Each structure stands twice: as C-alpha cells, then as structure tokens.
Amino acid sequence: MPHIIKDGEIIDDGWLLMRLKEGLPAPAPDAAEQADVIIPLSLWRDSAEWRERTAGRTGVWLGADEAPDLFPGDWNDFPLVAVDFPAFTDGRGYSIGRLLRERYNYAGELRAIGDVWKDQLAFLWQVGFNAFEIKHGKPVEDALAALKSFTGHYQSTWRQPEPLFRRGIK
Amino acid sequence: MYRYNDIDRELVDQRVAQFRDQTERFLAGELDDEEFRPLRLMNGLYIQRHAPMLRVAIPYGHLNSVQLRTLAEIARRWDRGYGHFTTRQNIQFNWPKLADVPDILALLATVEMHAIQTSGNCVRNTTTDAFAGVAADELLDPRPWCEIIRQWSTLHPEFAYLPRKFKIAVSGSVEDRAATRVHDIGLQVVRNAAGETGFRVLVGGGLGRTPVIGEVIREFLPAPHLLTYLDAVLRVYNRFGRRDNKYKARIKILVKAMTVEGFAAKVDDEWQHLKDGPSTLRAEDIAHFSSFFVDPDYHLKPGAHGDLAQQAGEDRGFARWLERNTRPHKEPGYRSVVLSLKKTGVPPGDITAEQMEAAADWAERFGFGELRVTHEQNLVLPDVREADLHALWLLAREAGFATPNIGLLTDIICCPGGDFCSLANAKSIPVAEAIQQTFADMDYLHDLGEIELNMSGCMNACGHHHIGHIGILGVDKNGEEWYQITLGGQQGEQAALGKVIGPSFARARIPEVIAELLQVYVALRQEGERFVDTVHRTGIAPFKEKVYAAHH
Ligand code: SF4
C-alpha cells in the first residue's frame, strides 16, 4: 500500500486515484469493486452510475483549472476531495484549497495530488490541505519534516484566520 | 524604521534553514536543475554568466547603518568588494558561490535582512518613494502601508506560485516618485472628501516586453480594506492569469483580456467574500505600524541654515552639488542628500564596500542612522542639517560619491546587461560609460537640465528604458549588439512610454546619436522647457531627421 502524509503522519493509503486517459471513454464503476476511488469531478457530474455507486467510497479530484463552484451540491457529501497540481510551480490549487475550506466550508480530507513534494507542504497545509500524496520517487519521510518549516505566519490563513497583527504580537 | 519582533526574526531564520536544506539537496543531486530553479529564484538567487547572483531585499528601500555595514562585509567576504543597487531598490551581489549563500543569508538575518521573494513568480519587494517621510511635498507617509504590505506578502501561503512575478509600488506625495503607473499594482495613498485615508488602486501597469501604463480599478479603497482587497486581486490573478506562455503571464495581459471593467468586477465579486474578514485593518493596527515611522527628534540636532548661501557663493562646485544632489526636506533647516552612484567609469548603481562603510558613518554622524536606496540606483541620506552639508560634501567628494549629476543626463539608470546577465542581448555598462565620457562637461550638462536616460540590455526592461526621457534598449542583430532608442518616456503622474525613433544603431554610434538629439533639443527648446517636454511638444520628427539624415 502506498504511503501518504495525512494530518502530520505517514499512513498507508487505500484510495485509488483515477485519471482519465485522453480519447478513451470514462470507465463505468465495477459493482464488485469495493475499493475507495477518487474520480475526476467531471466524471461525477456526468455519470449517474458513479454518483450512485455503493460498493466503496467515492471521492473526487479537481484539476487546477476547475472552479469549486462547478459543483452545485454540498462538498461535505464527499469523504475526500483532492486537488491536482500539474506542476509544482502551478499555484492555482492553493486558491482552490482555500476556497473549498473557507467559502464552501468543506471539512473532510483535502488532498494534494500530482507534482507535490517537500517544498510545497508548509504552505499547502496553511491553506487547508491535510493530506499529501508525494510524487513518486520523492522521499516521503523527508517531506513530512517540511510541515514544520515555519512556526509563524503573517497572514490570515485557514489554519490561523487571525493575521499576526491581530494577535497582539508587537 | 520598522524593527523586527520575535516572530519576524524566527520567520527569517526558518527561511534560511529551509533554503539551506534546499541548497544541500540540490548539491547532493536530490533536486535537479529544473526543480531547484524556482526554489532558488524565490530566494533571490540567479545563475549568471560568471557565478550565481544573489539579490538581497531592501524593503521599500530602507536601510540602517548597521545593515549597510553588513552588506559591506558580505561584499568583502563573499564578493569582489562591491555590490549593485537595482531599480527595485534592492542590492545584488554578482560573485558569491552557491555553497556560501546559506551562510550569507544567515549573516543577513542577524541584521533583519533576507533575500525572500527578490525574484521568482511571487510578490516582490514593495517599492516606494525614496524620500518618503521626509519629502516636502508629501501628502501621506507611504511607509506604514509598505510595511503592512511587506508582512502580508512575505511567505503568503496562497500566492507563492503565481503565473509570473508581481510588483507593488506605493506613493504618497504630489509627485509620484514610485512609478505607481508601471507596476502590477500601484497604490496612491489619498484622502477622500470626508478626510479618510485610502488608496487609489491601479493595476496592470508594467514594462518588459509589453509595456503598459496601469489603469485605475478603484478610485478610493478605504485603508482598513487594503489587505482583503489585495487578497482579492491576487486571487483572481492566481486563478485566471495565463500559465501557458510566460510572455503572456503578467497581470496586465489578464486585465487586457478581461477589460479593466471586467477585471475590476471580478475582483469586486471576490472581495465581497473577503471584505471585513480577519485581515481588515483596525485603527489600532494602523497605529501600530505607523509607530515605527515617527519623525526622529529633529530638535536634538537643531537645524541651522549656517552660511549655506555664503558657502555656495564661494564655491561653485559646492553650489552645483547643493542644487543637484540635495532635496528640500519637510523640516526647516534640513535637506535630504543624494549620494551619486553615477560616477563616470563606474557601472551605474555599483557601490564599493568602502563607500558603504563611509555612507553608514555619515548616516550616523550627520543623520539618524538611516539611509534610503532610490529606484534611480543612488543612495540617500534622508536627514542632514543644512549646517553639515558642506562638511558632508567634502567627504563625499573624497569618496567618489559627489558627482553633481542627480537628475541630469549622466545619472543613467542602467541594468547590469551583457557583462553579467545571461539574458542580455547587449552590454549596457560600457555604453553608459561612453555616454558619461562624452558628456563630461558639467556646464553643458547643467545647461541641458533634467534628462532621464534609462538603459536595458534586453526586452525584460530592468533598466526601465520605456520610461526614460531617452531610452536605450540592447537588441540582437545577427549576433551583434545593436541599440534601439526611444524618446519621450516619462515616470510619475504623467507616466508615458517612449516612442521608438527608428532603426537601431551600432554601439559606437550611440554617444554621437545622443549628442545629436541634444543639439536638436537645444535648438528647439523654449525658455525653461525640459528635454522631455520639448519632445512632447514637437514630436519625434525633428530628432529623427537629425540622427538619420547625415548617415544615409
Ligand atoms: S534588462 Fe535584460 S539584460 Fe538587463 S538585467 Fe534585465 S534581463 Fe538582464
């Protein structure tokens, strides 16, 4: 089972991530498949079968160009929402994560997937991500340490809504 | 001046530790070039022609004497004894070794300095008027706002990986000396009819490949909402700015694509959600930040006019320096002094370790221990008693700091160009020197009056050539260095982009071309008219005629 970082610990993770292959039709859910699957948000919207699937749990992932308002329902109906980082220098997912937490009040697991490794973790954590699937080939233990890179922040973030100047630290 | 608290200090120390780890992983082969690149850039480290270049942040151009001495120490220990001030009021070192950079940063941290976000696709050092707080024409002091923005932008977790670099400038005076119209966001501190402080917000200005003058998206943003509004602008940009083409990734392109009205509306939508949130500035917060920028005790060193008029009358050199290199101060009996880093034969903006130490001494002896860096790449002693000016002038002259050319043709604003920068199409430093040599006659220079000459070694426009009254841009023509000339650019309230006068010139001809342009000006100028005003009145045609006529 692959390791991911969740809530500051390295854990075994059973979720399967489904990425659609270009040009191929999206697969229908297998009634016998009991695994927990993270499917693209677009597939959730397009497929009643996926929406009604009961064999295992179903989470969704958003691309960096997908807006959280694309989903009209309650994000809290999902046990897991993931956001894709197509490149580690692509910062759109930070805004998406923050919006999911702050504007859509999503309280479940928020997972960063894609080109995700050590040096992004501290900021991803601040904007609301609590789970990180570290890119294949990058050390997971080493990445874990990065969550503690910074003990303070100036800004208002999801983790610490009061900015430094309001916390009376002069 | 702002002083660090424990959290500021801890953050900078932790950033040094993080960067040390990143550098070690790179040197150990755990990070490849592509991976390390954005990480090092975000900490001001470029790989240059000769060695890495480290750019150190000087927040809104403010320095104290202790910091300047530390910069001198860095120049001596890890560089070749000098540094280079940039058009963003920062300082660059051109010769450090990569493995030494974490130690340099650790030393900087001891004097409350760092290299955070001096490059990379993130919010850069906020800039302002170098005479903030002391200028005679100041309406509102921009510095507390600069510090508020510095803290907000430093290690902002949501905006570390923007589509492209992002620059903010703040101005609070009659004359806009911060170039707010050519920044991604320009903020003009203003007061509304009810007497409340706020900001006129401009977006989408910028130089570079596609120069654009910024446009107003909000006439009056009440001060308490500054940070929530900035969050809204940045979020719209972060989410919707183009990432597929780095030449189209600046906010100005997004603003164009959405139209100014469309962009402003989108920001407003976003802002409605953030407005009045926890980042709203309360009166006590503003008072807290303002408390760092109170006036020094000018009475401790009572101003005296001395015999300034007499000294100037007796010494023409001093009179000239007084006229060009000092500026009116809001406090009677004081002036601000500009130490010229535009001596012929020295690359514009370069400063030696000895000069840094001398300037630090003078800041303590004649002022209150503070200095400023201007975006024209000079150094300022903000508070000097008029009675001390003559003594300071003598010392500055000795140290090669007193060329009386501030605002004149030879006060050239110039990027490092092909001598250092790996992106350059052409060299800029030797061209600047050739021009300075051609115009060595001080009488003629003073007669020509105010002329801003800006030069960049490539389209990235680090020398801000578009807003030079005369702009020079290095271009590549079949592997040779050529130079394109623009006329009529201007910074400030009347910001304008220069117009290209025609085909580019070989390097050797540049001084002659400049001389011809100035002959036209002298022939056409009206009483009291500056070069750039003549250009705007007559258009570029007469200038063009002259420089292209004789050579066909
Ligand atoms: S303008 Fe071009 S040549 Fe000059 S410093 Fe910038 S990138 Fe380098």
Side-chain angles (χ1 to χ4, degrees):
Chain A
M1 232 177 233
H3 290 162
I4 68 153
I5 293 174
K6 187 176 167 186
D7 293 324
E9 285 175 42
I10 298 174
I11 59 158
D12 290 339
D13 177 58
W15 286 89
L16 299 176
L17 177 67
M18 182 200 291
R19 288 183 185 271
L20 299 182
K21 301 218 172 60
E22 205 153 328
L24 293 181
D30 179 343
E33 176 62 76
Q34 309 246 320
D36 299 334
V37 188
I38 311 171
I39 64 169
L41 177 63
S42 57
L43 183 56
W44 173 273
R45 287 173 36 216
D46 295 346
S47 160
E49 281 173 289
W50 273 105
R51 285 198 298 273
E52 283 148 23
R53 166 177 185 257
T54 50
R57 293 183 298 168
T58 311
V60 292
W61 65 270
L62 287 79
D65 56 353
E66 288 183 296
D69 57 12
L70 285 175
F71 174 68
D74 184 351
W75 285 96
N76 281 310
D77 292 344
F78 295 111
L80 183 152
V81 175
V83 177
D84 187 39
F85 290 80
F88 88 97
T89 49
D90 188 327
R92 289 175 288 183
Y94 294 80
S95 290
I96 295 172
R98 208 168 162 186
L99 286 171
L100 283 168
R101 290 292 195 205
E102 292 179 14
R103 196 158 306 162
Y104 296 89
N105 299 313
Y106 175 63
E109 176 175 343
L110 185 59
R111 184 182 291 197
I113 59 172
D115 197 2
V116 174
W117 32 282
K118 182 175 186 177
D119 302 277
Q120 295 130 288
L121 258 51
F123 289 175
L124 285 172
W125 174 262
Q126 284 304 319
V127 298
F129 289 87
N130 69 322
F132 311 92
E133 185 184 316
I134 301 297
K135 184 186 184 180
H136 185 71
K138 294 279 179 199
V140 180
E141 295 75 31
D142 191 37
L144 181 62
L147 284 175
K148 299 205 175 75
S149 299
F150 297 102
T151 46
H153 288 274
Y154 290 119
Q155 305 79 4
S156 163
T157 69
W158 184 70
R159 297 271 166 206
Q160 173 58 276
E162 293 277 286
L164 184 68
F165 63 77
R166 283 211 174 204
R167 279 180 269 143
I169 296 154
K170 307 286 178 187
Chain B
M1 187 163 170
Y2 183 72
R3 296 312 308 248
Y4 277 15
N5 59 35
D6 291 346
I7 305 270
D8 295 298
R9 217 165 281 124
E10 193 174 82
L11 271 172
V12 169
D13 289 343
Q14 289 171 341
R15 180 67 182 107
V16 174
Q18 185 189 43
F19 188 72
R20 195 182 288 278
D21 169 67
Q22 290 166 344
T23 307
E24 283 166 5
R25 279 152 61 216
F26 171 68
L27 292 171
E30 290 165 33
L31 291 173
D32 63 26
D33 280 343
E34 269 308 289
E35 291 168 335
F36 185 51
R37 193 173 167 275
L39 300 179
R40 67 171 161 75
L41 284 177
M42 235 182 282
N43 213 30
L45 192 66
Y46 283 79
I47 301 297
Q48 292 278 65
R49 291 243 146 122
H50 311 287
M53 180 274 277
L54 178 67
R55 185 182 293 152
V56 175
I58 301 177
Y60 38 94
H62 265 52
L63 268 178
N64 63 38
S65 52
V66 177
Q67 292 173 324
L68 189 55
R69 284 203 188 89
T70 305
L71 294 174
E73 186 183 340
I74 290 169
R76 245 190 226 115
R77 252 169 87 185
W78 287 292
D79 201 288
R80 298 190 173 176
Y82 67 95
H84 172 79
F85 286 117
T86 75
T87 52
R88 284 208 73 67
Q89 303 179 300
N90 289 322
I91 189 165
Q92 295 181 177
F93 294 104
N94 283 310
W95 304 94
K97 287 200 198 66
L98 175 57
D100 290 335
V101 171
D103 292 336
I104 299 176
L105 295 173
L107 179 61
L108 283 170
T110 65
V111 292
E112 308 186 354
M113 295 186 86
H114 58 74
I116 297 169
Q117 290 163 220
T118 52
S119 183
N121 296 333
C122 45
V123 183
R124 304 287 190 85
N125 186 22
T126 296
T127 51
T128 190
D129 176 8
F131 301 97
V134 296
D137 73 337
E138 187 162 276
L139 304 170
L140 290 161
D141 191 345
R143 295 172 302 167
W145 308 106
C146 289
E147 178 55 28
I148 289 170
I149 296 168
R150 182 193 75 80
Q151 298 200 6
W152 163 82
S153 62
T154 300
L155 305 172
H156 195 308
E158 187 179 347
F159 305 129
Y161 298 96
L162 297 171
R164 199 79 178 84
K165 58 186 164 186
F166 201 91
K167 301 177 178 179
I168 301 176
V170 189
S171 164
S173 53
V174 174
E175 183 195 337
D176 173 11
R177 283 179 294 266
T180 55
R181 282 162 198 271
V182 289
H183 280 77
D184 296 290
I185 293 180
L187 296 169
Q188 299 171 352
V189 195
V190 288
R191 231 178 228 138
N192 68 4
E196 297 156 335
T197 303
F199 304 91
R200 181 178 300 120
V201 184
L202 296 92
V203 293
L207 301 173
R209 212 160 269 258
T210 323
V212 180
I213 300 289
E215 296 199 56
V216 176
I217 56 164
R218 195 158 201 103
E219 267 302 334
F220 186 79
L221 174 72
H225 301 303
L226 176 64
L227 297 183
T228 53
Y229 195 78
L230 289 178
D231 267 328
V233 174
L234 267 289
R235 184 173 289 167
V236 169
Y237 173 54
N238 189 38
R239 293 186 61 203
F240 304 110
R242 284 182 65 172
R243 290 174 186 266
D244 57 333
N245 178 343
K246 78 170 201 174
Y247 300 120
K248 300 208 150 71
R250 293 288 290 269
I251 195 173
K252 58 194 168 192
I253 307 288
L254 179 66
V255 173
K256 263 228 171 89
M258 295 174 82
T259 75
V260 177
E261 298 72 31
F263 180 82
K266 188 89 186 158
V267 168
D268 224 61
D269 277 355
E270 189 63 40
W271 186 45
Q272 293 315 315
H273 294 280
L274 299 169
K275 196 175 171 218
D276 299 320
S279 296
T280 306
L281 293 156
R282 302 163 303 182
E284 66 232 67
D285 303 321
I286 297 170
H288 165 68
F289 287 107
S290 300
S291 71
F292 292 100
F293 302 98
V294 292
D295 280 346
D297 197 350
Y298 288 117
H299 300 294
L300 272 183
K301 300 188 172 185
H305 296 269
D307 24 25
L308 209 53
Q310 195 196 332
Q311 288 164 331
E314 284 166 5
D315 191 328
R316 196 128 168 270
F318 177 64
R320 253 198 191 138
W321 178 81
L322 196 62
E323 183 201 331
R324 292 312 326 176
N325 294 29
T326 73
R327 290 186 50 96
H329 197 289
K330 66 176 185 188
E331 184 74 16
Y334 279 81
R335 289 186 79 81
S336 298
V337 169
V338 186
L339 298 171
S340 172
L341 297 177
K342 308 299 175 68
K343 191 180 171 197
T344 303
V346 179
D350 273 14
I351 180 169
T352 65
E354 291 71 32
Q355 285 179 315
M356 292 184 216
E357 281 158 354
D361 289 346
W362 304 335
E364 286 164 3
R365 181 169 155 201
F366 299 114
F368 299 90
E370 282 191 24
L371 303 103
R372 315 281 179 83
V373 181
T374 73
H375 74 90
E376 291 93 352
Q377 305 173 285
N378 291 307
L379 200 54
V380 168
L381 297 171
D383 312 290
V384 182
R385 283 193 310 169
E386 289 184 347
D388 290 330
L389 286 172
H390 194 265
L392 173 60
W393 173 65
L394 290 173
L395 290 166
R397 211 171 47 160
E398 197 73 12
F401 257 154
T403 315
N405 62 349
I406 301 305
L408 301 180
L409 178 70
T410 55
D411 184 9
I412 296 174
I413 297 171
C414 176
C415 79
D419 289 292
F420 295 98
C421 176
S422 46
L423 303 170
N425 285 326
K427 292 191 178 180
S428 52
I429 294 169
V431 181
E433 188 179 341
I435 294 168
Q436 287 170 330
Q437 263 157 7
T438 307
F439 296 94
D441 179 352
M442 275 295 162
D443 289 326
Y444 185 55
L445 268 185
H446 280 252
D447 173 58
L448 290 173
E450 255 174 62
I451 300 179
E452 292 176 16
L453 193 155
N454 294 51
M455 181 161 28
S456 308
C458 78
M459 308 257 271
N460 287 326
C462 301
H464 301 172
H465 62 277
H466 302 107
I467 51 167
H469 300 169
I470 301 176
I472 304 180
L473 165 68
V475 291
D476 176 278
K477 259 197 191 172
N478 307 319
E480 276 177 56
E481 298 180 338
W482 285 68
Y483 297 85
Q484 187 184 70
I485 291 188
T486 48
L487 289 184
Q490 167 153 242
Q491 52 169 325
E493 266 312 286
Q494 306 301 321
L497 303 170
K499 291 200 178 76
V500 177
I501 60 167
S504 50
F505 303 93
R507 190 202 288 180
R509 211 164 107 64
I510 292 294
E512 189 190 0
V513 170
I514 304 290
E516 288 167 1
L517 292 172
L518 295 173
Q519 284 158 20
V520 177
Y521 160 62
V522 170
L524 296 181
R525 70 177 161 188
Q526 295 174 349
E527 184 67 31
E529 195 176 48
R530 293 182 310 160
F531 174 83
V532 68
D533 300 325
T534 304
V535 173
H536 286 155
R537 180 173 54 80
T538 66
I540 59 173
F543 295 90
K544 204 166 159 169
E545 224 161 83
K546 172 90 177 178
V547 296
Y548 292 105
H551 298 266
H552 277 296

